[in-house]
Amino acid sequence: MSQVLTDNFGIAEALSALGIKENNFGASTGTKHWNTAGPKVDSYSPADGKFIGSVNQATKDDYEKVMAKAEEAFKIWRTVPAPKRGEIVRQIGDQLREYKAPLGKLVSYEMGKSLQEGLGEVQEMIDICDFAVGLSRQLYGLTMHSERPRHRMYEQWHPLGIVGIISAFNFPVAVWSWNAALAWVCGDVCVWKPSSKTPLCAIACQNIISSVLKKNDVPEGVSCVLIGNPVGDMMNNDNRVPMISFTGSTRIGRIVAGATAQRFGKSILELGGNNAIIVSENADLNMVLVGAVFGAVGTAGQRCTSTRRLIIHESIYEKTLSVLKNAYGQLSIGNPLDANNHVGPLIDKKATEDYLNAIEKAKKEGGKMIVDGGVVSGAGYESGCYVKPCIIEAKNEYHIVQEETFAPILYVMKYKTIEEAIALQNGVPQGLSSAIFTNSMREMEKFLSVEGSDCGIANVNIGTSGAEIGGAFGGEKETGGGRESGSDAWKGYMRRQTNTINYGNQLPLAQGIEFNF
């Protein structure tokens, strides 16, 4: 691998600390790394447009090597007691603590999110490791009373095998860890295909944890990485991979779901979001301002939980827009490694084109610009990936409003009754995150009731963006229905087995059936 070592913001030091250097790998089985012979994947920073490095894609032969090692490793790893597996994950969390600063900086530089968000993403990795450690002693099954005398029934959970993880660029390390930490304590092994837009973040993670794996004599193949988009198709159609966890667009999610279902595999799908905040006449506008602005412009609108729509009560509509316009006028756009900036770049120029096209489509459908958008140019913006967060007055039924655009575009609209607001909130194909700002107990309870939000996440007096490790993360409808991270999401990485033990000396049949000889 070749690279440009820029001294801006200490990137050179961060890359060196993370082992990102010449001849880095394109495939890894955890404790062993090797260069691959496939086409190159180049990584450029959207922050300054500079070339960071390149790695080679994994070939079919590389893929087969990795899968063979993963299959072998699973046979051993599944027999390691779960608390021992949890202890190893605890050590991985500690190792991430040591490398939080350089890894957070690389996440910021390669993906384009603010340094604070990059560090926060690494903290999420640490947090899920902590969660998984406790989980390793809580993989509970149930006991049940049998209808037959002297019989005992219970259920237990066994690991699935190889878990394929396909992650997206916007959270280049956290989403992998949400899956991997849980899968590992459940007894699974993981093969990770990271986004080809952020390959170096994945290499850095594997470098960080490899010493922990070696120190604990973890079988080679428990944690694997394969670079390159073709790897995704290989995993989706591979019977050796009983579970695929996919994070990405709804369009690709349909392909993943179809391929895995065709072979009776399982999938965890974390797809698009089209998230709305309802702003009640009973809301605290100071809180609305923080939740809506961060939700809409944080990570330059490139979170699946980003706020796309603001549904505002007609009595406070103009006042809310005035407050928002004032806040947008104070946003600082620039290098994400500079803490003085609020908004960093989009991931690449294709994302910039999508942003501009979405604005034009909204205008053609009748949308009115409240805060103008556009590409930011000039010194410091040479990458061509910096855009202005914009606000567009629109109707929920506009085609472009029904779609998810991964950019800082916020659509605003009015409502009269809470029932109308909820209908607007639910009136899109996606169902990930939702929120209401209100001080009315009746409104908040209605929003959270069976008559309320149809999303996997429903918040009161906080925004749509982000989620805590302890809760299951995911959504409904075209968001895919998957769940990752906390609560009982661990069950997705295991197979349930019901067991019946007859400790008597007769064999009674269920429902009183007689079958005598």
Side-chain angles (χ1 to χ4, degrees):
M1 188 191 81
S2 58
Q3 63 186 31
V4 173
L5 296 181
T6 174
D7 287 330
N8 293 343
F9 301 99
I11 293 299
E13 291 82 358
L15 292 170
S16 178
L18 296 166
I20 307 296
K21 55 187 178 181
E22 294 285 344
N23 300 317
N24 231 306
F25 61 83
S28 169
T29 47
T31 53
K32 293 184 181 178
H33 317 318
W34 67 91
N35 288 318
T36 54
K40 279 189 175 182
V41 176
D42 294 327
S43 178
Y44 290 86
S45 172
D48 56 16
K50 291 184 179 179
F51 174 72
I52 311 173
S54 62
V55 295
N56 291 332
Q57 292 187 89
T59 64
K60 178 66 173 174
D61 286 344
D62 298 315
Y63 178 84
E64 290 300 329
K65 280 185 196 176
V66 166
M67 284 300 167
K69 284 297 181 183
E71 283 190 301
E72 290 175 21
F74 174 61
K75 294 173 185 177
I76 301 170
W77 185 243
R78 66 186 176 183
T79 67
V80 175
K84 175 60 177 174
R85 298 193 296 253
E87 164 58 19
I88 294 167
V89 171
R90 183 194 66 77
Q91 294 176 38
I92 290 174
D94 286 345
Q95 194 79 339
L96 288 167
R97 286 179 172 89
E98 280 192 41
Y99 287 90
K100 179 178 177 178
L103 182 56
K105 191 167 286 187
L106 176 60
V107 169
S108 176
Y109 188 60
E110 189 175 31
M111 184 269 153
K113 62 176 61 176
S114 73
L115 178 57
Q116 187 177 1
E117 290 182 88
L119 293 170
E121 186 169 343
V122 181
Q123 186 60 50
E124 286 191 37
M125 301 174 76
I126 295 167
D127 291 344
I128 197 63
C129 285
D130 287 349
F131 180 89
V133 174
L135 176 64
S136 68
R137 295 180 183 271
Q138 300 178 76
L139 301 174
Y140 299 137
L142 299 173
T143 60
M144 293 147 280
H145 290 283
S146 173
E147 65 187 40
R148 292 167 286 186
R150 296 182 177 85
H151 281 61
R152 181 167 73 87
M153 293 180 66
Y154 70 97
E155 67 178 24
Q156 60 181 334
W157 295 82
H158 294 302
L160 288 171
I162 299 174
V163 171
I165 303 169
I166 303 174
S167 62
F169 74 86
N170 60 329
F171 279 84
V173 295
V175 169
W176 163 70
S177 70
W178 293 351
N179 287 275
L182 268 60
W184 286 331
V185 298
C186 289
D188 299 310
V189 301
C190 298
V191 178
W192 178 21
K193 191 216 80 69
S195 169
S196 292
K197 296 181 180 181
T198 52
L200 302 183
C201 286
I203 289 175
C205 288
Q206 196 78 330
N207 286 345
I208 289 169
I209 70 172
S210 62
S211 63
V212 174
L213 303 178
K214 285 180 182 178
K215 182 175 69 175
N216 288 276
D217 295 322
V218 172
E220 182 190 354
V222 166
S223 176
C224 305
V225 172
L226 286 162
I227 306 296
N229 289 334
V231 172
D233 285 337
M234 295 180 203
M235 286 201 295
N236 294 335
N237 293 286
D238 193 338
N239 285 326
R240 293 169 294 183
V241 186
M243 158 66 75
I244 295 289
S245 176
F246 173 78
T247 302
S249 69
T250 298
R251 181 180 67 83
I252 301 299
R254 292 185 197 279
I255 297 171
V256 174
T260 53
Q262 184 70 27
R263 58 182 178 85
F264 297 106
K266 296 183 179 182
S267 59
I268 296 174
L269 302 175
E270 300 289 354
L271 311 178
N274 196 345
N275 317 295
I277 294 176
I278 296 172
V279 183
S280 163
E281 60 185 324
N282 300 301
D284 182 331
L285 283 187
N286 290 324
M287 294 176 68
V288 171
L289 181 64
V290 175
V293 174
F294 176 72
V297 310
T299 325
Q302 296 173 112
R303 293 185 177 213
C304 51
T305 55
S306 290
T307 305
R308 310 288 178 202
R309 297 172 294 141
L310 210 58
I311 303 167
I312 308 166
H313 192 271
E314 61 182 6
S315 67
I316 57 167
Y317 184 75
E318 296 300 333
K319 183 178 180 180
T320 303
L321 290 190
S322 177
V323 170
L324 283 173
K325 287 169 68 175
N326 181 59
Y328 269 55
Q330 299 176 53
L331 292 173
S332 178
I333 304 169
N335 194 308
L337 291 163
D338 185 342
N340 294 314
N341 293 323
H342 303 104
V343 184
L346 295 176
I347 186 65
D348 54 26
K349 290 182 180 179
K350 172 63 167 58
T352 302
E353 293 173 9
D354 292 343
Y355 157 86
L356 293 172
N357 288 337
I359 292 174
E360 287 307 309
K361 287 179 181 178
K363 287 179 179 178
K364 286 181 181 178
E365 291 194 74
K368 174 186 174 184
M369 298 302 301
I370 303 298
V371 174
D372 287 331
V375 178
V376 183
S377 59
Y381 304 105
E382 289 84 0
S383 70
C385 299
Y386 290 90
V387 302
K388 299 175 183 177
C390 66
I391 301 176
I392 304 175
E393 187 176 68
K395 293 182 179 180
N396 208 53
E397 60 265 27
Y398 288 176
H399 291 295
I400 191 61
V401 176
Q402 293 285 307
E403 299 174 5
E404 178 189 44
T405 304
F406 239 43
I409 300 173
L410 180 64
Y411 300 109
V412 294
M413 56 200 74
K414 300 177 187 176
Y415 79 91
K416 291 184 179 181
T417 67
I418 186 63
E419 290 80 12
E420 179 189 0
I422 292 171
L424 289 170
Q425 138 67 40
N426 293 343
V428 292
Q430 309 83 359
L432 179 53
S433 187
S434 58
I436 186 171
F437 278 82
T438 181
N439 288 325
S440 165
M441 184 181 71
R442 288 180 176 175
E443 285 184 333
M444 68 177 68
E445 289 295 337
K446 188 175 186 67
F447 178 74
L448 298 174
S449 75
V450 69
E451 301 174 278
S453 170
D454 64 1
C455 294
I457 298 169
N459 299 328
V460 175
N461 291 332
I462 63 170
T464 64
S465 188
E468 289 192 31
I469 288 298
F473 180 87
E476 302 301 323
K477 300 190 294 188
E478 288 191 2
T479 303
R483 293 297 185 275
E484 296 170 334
S485 190
S487 185
D488 65 348
W490 61 271
K491 293 180 178 178
Y493 305 89
M494 304 193 83
R495 58 182 176 86
R496 188 196 310 252
Q497 185 181 78
T498 301
N499 306 114
T500 305
I501 299 172
N502 178 358
Y503 59 91
N505 57 10
Q506 294 183 332
L507 185 56
L509 302 178
Q511 289 85 43
I513 296 172
E514 293 186 5
F515 198 78
N516 297 320
F517 293 97

